[in-house]
Amino acid sequence: MSTRDQDVPQASGSGTATGVLVREGSYGTRVLEVEPGGAEFIPLNERHGKPLQLFWTWTSPNMEFATIFVGVLAVAGFGLGFWEAALALILGSGIGGITQGILSLRGPKYGVPQMVLSRLGFGYWGNILPAGLNAVTAGIGWFAVNSVSGALALNVLTHLPQVLCLIIIVAVQLVVAFFGYNLVAYFERYAFPILTVIFLIAAGVILSKAHPGATHHTIPGAFLLTFGASFGYAVGWNPYASDYTRYLKPDTSKKAIAWWSGAGLFISCAVLEVVGAAVGTAVGANNALAGPGGMTSLLATPLADFTLIAIALGAVSANVLNIYSGALSFTAIGIKLPLAARRAIVALGFGIIGFFLAWSALGNAGADYQNFLLIIAYWIAPWLAVYFCDLLLRRNPEERLLFSTRRENWAGPVAMLVGMGLSIWLFSNQTKYVGLVPTHIPSAGDLTFEAGFVITAVVYLGWHAIAGTGREETLSA
């Protein structure tokens, strides 16, 4: 493995003996400098940071209204009671936190983003499928979703036009993401204490005003719909996992990496989603689903104003990760961009597209968000199945497998497409499309991500069992 500087080409790119593409340029720990390169290996002399930083990296971006709204949907949208909603939300967040911790482990060892590690299960060109999906859902989709929540909070606070609020939010996000990893990490670190204090106080007040025993009218399959939505929200961060551990040194404690990554994601998602469920019991469904105003109506004016500021800040915290990782995923597709600032340029382009998408969604956030959360789970679960099955078969692959354009593993994209296609056709349950099973059995809810994971795993493992492949750990000559 690449544990010594001489094992990889020099940062200048003069050597290619090992077949590992190394990020050029000098970056170090400088905050206000544009991070060079894209999805290449991070040289060992550029490694820095500690596992603890992963806690606020994965806590800060979830302290926003998009997280709370998952819980609001469970009660005000799907009609669950508070305790049923809380159980579904905690289970979905818990699974997403566990997978986040596992996925984060390979970052220090391989020094590359998550969507480059994905090439192990998909091959170089087959990886275009998950990397492309993540580039779109992260750099554009999630960016738009969180920009809307931040803009709505700023609008309620300042009464400025929604479009102007959206421009302000997007501009701040783009500046941070454009500079890159060090500024992103710096921003999350200093947003963390502000967001934590405000949201803990607001959460205490909201929970004290909740009505856990309120009567409810649950729609068929509501528990599984809530479980799928909360899982979709949490695992939406999974394709970014090693993006934020690849700068750590290779000998960094694996236990600490897994713990701080998983705990940060789980705690922030579970707590704020449960708060959202409390909001759904305390105000009318229409007010709860209308946006941040329904939540802040439960708070005294000074605290409500601070909470709106925190919601806007949390949206920025989430989107600097979305736009940064979306750009990394795009560069991981394999498109050659010779510019030294290629990641930064891609981030800027995604931000502009995401702005216009967010602008169009300002007036219809609720229904679109529910569908978006489920769609996220529809593709990430099959991708996770391929990744984990390959991890089971291939325990210690060498780095050259990640960068060889001639290496194929078509079992990955085929299994993922089959898993997605069959599971969506059979089990999807959202406003845009209802699958065969929930059409006839509404109480089935939405089992798409569960079925997609199982189907994909069976196809992937079956393919390699029949072909006698899948365990190769070195690049053949």
Side-chain angles (χ1 to χ4, degrees):
M1 307 311 299
S2 286
T3 56
R4 303 187 305 276
D5 287 330
Q6 62 265 34
D7 287 335
V8 296
Q10 297 301 308
S12 62
S14 58
T16 57
T18 64
V20 175
L21 187 61
V22 180
R23 196 211 66 202
E24 76 274 26
S26 176
Y27 185 47
T29 60
R30 293 183 293 276
V31 174
L32 293 179
E33 181 169 322
V34 176
E35 179 187 8
E40 303 84 17
F41 176 88
I42 304 300
L44 299 186
N45 60 3
E46 292 276 292
R47 305 293 185 91
H48 60 276
K50 297 183 182 299
L52 177 60
Q53 71 190 47
L54 298 169
F55 184 73
W56 50 71
T57 295
W58 297 118
T59 301
S60 296
N62 293 310
M63 293 188 182
E64 53 153 347
F65 190 71
T67 315
I68 295 167
F69 200 66
V70 178
V72 170
L73 275 174
V75 174
F78 303 147
L80 279 177
F82 176 79
W83 296 112
E84 289 177 290
L87 178 59
L89 295 166
I90 290 170
L91 286 175
S93 300
I95 295 174
I98 291 170
T99 53
Q100 185 77 0
I102 296 171
L103 290 166
S104 299
L105 292 176
R106 277 181 162 177
K109 181 177 182 179
Y110 289 93
V112 294
Q114 193 65 54
M115 279 298 147
V116 173
L117 286 170
S118 178
R119 293 172 183 167
L120 291 170
F122 289 84
Y124 191 91
W125 297 113
N127 193 55
I128 290 176
L129 174 62
L133 283 170
N134 195 52
V136 173
T137 54
I140 299 175
W142 272 120
F143 183 83
V145 166
N146 292 307
S147 295
V148 167
S149 67
L152 290 176
L154 196 59
N155 167 255
V156 174
L157 176 67
T158 64
H159 305 293
L160 292 170
Q162 288 184 349
V163 174
L164 179 57
C165 293
L166 181 63
I167 292 172
I168 294 170
I169 292 291
V170 169
V172 175
Q173 293 167 166
L174 284 181
V175 168
V176 177
F178 183 83
F179 276 92
Y181 177 84
N182 287 338
L183 184 56
V184 168
Y186 186 88
F187 186 91
E188 303 298 349
R189 177 181 179 180
Y190 289 98
F192 173 73
I194 300 171
L195 293 169
T196 300
V197 171
I198 294 174
F199 274 114
L200 282 178
I201 295 172
V205 173
I206 291 170
L207 289 170
S208 72
K209 296 182 178 182
H211 303 290
T215 58
H216 53 276
H217 304 284
T218 307
I219 67 172
F223 185 89
L224 289 172
L225 284 169
T226 300
F227 177 52
S230 63
F231 173 78
Y233 186 89
V235 343
W237 298 114
N238 281 187
Y240 312 0
S242 75
D243 298 5
Y244 303 94
T245 61
R246 76 195 203 281
Y247 270 93
L248 298 176
K249 294 180 179 179
D251 59 356
T252 304
S253 167
K254 289 186 176 182
K255 183 182 295 185
I257 290 171
W259 167 253
W260 291 120
S261 298
L265 181 61
F266 167 67
I267 293 171
S268 55
C269 287
V271 169
L272 288 191
E273 286 170 8
V274 170
V275 170
V279 172
T281 69
V283 301
N286 289 336
N287 287 336
L289 294 169
M295 170 188 172
T296 54
S297 67
L298 296 168
L299 308 172
T301 299
L303 179 57
D305 289 345
F306 277 114
T307 302
L308 289 169
I309 292 171
I311 289 171
L313 178 61
V316 175
S317 294
N319 268 351
V320 296
L321 299 190
N322 287 322
I323 196 72
Y324 178 79
S325 287
L328 284 179
S329 294
F330 184 82
T331 59
I333 288 174
I335 299 174
K336 301 299 181 183
L337 299 172
L339 299 173
R342 50 188 167 274
R343 179 211 51 80
I345 299 300
V346 172
L348 184 62
F350 277 179
I352 293 171
I353 297 171
F355 165 76
F356 286 105
L357 182 60
W359 189 0
S360 69
L362 278 174
N364 189 35
D368 289 343
Y369 187 44
Q370 171 190 332
N371 292 335
F372 182 69
L373 287 173
L374 293 173
I375 290 170
I376 288 289
Y378 291 174
W379 81 261
I380 292 183
W383 170 75
L384 283 172
V386 171
Y387 188 90
F388 286 136
C389 286
D390 191 80
L391 183 63
L392 178 66
L393 295 175
R394 200 190 321 265
R395 298 298 181 90
N396 194 33
E398 66 173 9
E399 297 95 325
R400 291 191 303 162
L401 295 176
L402 301 172
F403 295 98
S404 173
T405 57
R406 61 185 175 84
R407 181 181 169 269
E408 299 177 347
N409 189 0
W410 293 110
V414 170
M416 181 174 171
L417 287 171
V418 171
M420 288 173 60
L422 286 177
S423 62
I424 292 171
W425 172 59
L426 290 171
F427 297 105
S428 175
N429 190 359
Q430 48 147 310
T431 61
K432 300 297 183 184
Y433 173 73
V434 179
L436 190 63
V437 173
T439 296
H440 295 89
I441 311 174
S443 60
D446 192 312
L447 294 168
T448 309
F449 87 80
E450 296 96 329
F453 185 94
V454 173
I455 294 169
T456 302
V458 170
V459 173
Y460 187 82
L461 293 174
W463 176 305
H464 283 304
I466 293 170
T469 54
R471 298 184 181 275
E472 304 86 356
E473 295 189 344
T474 60
L475 188 65
S476 58

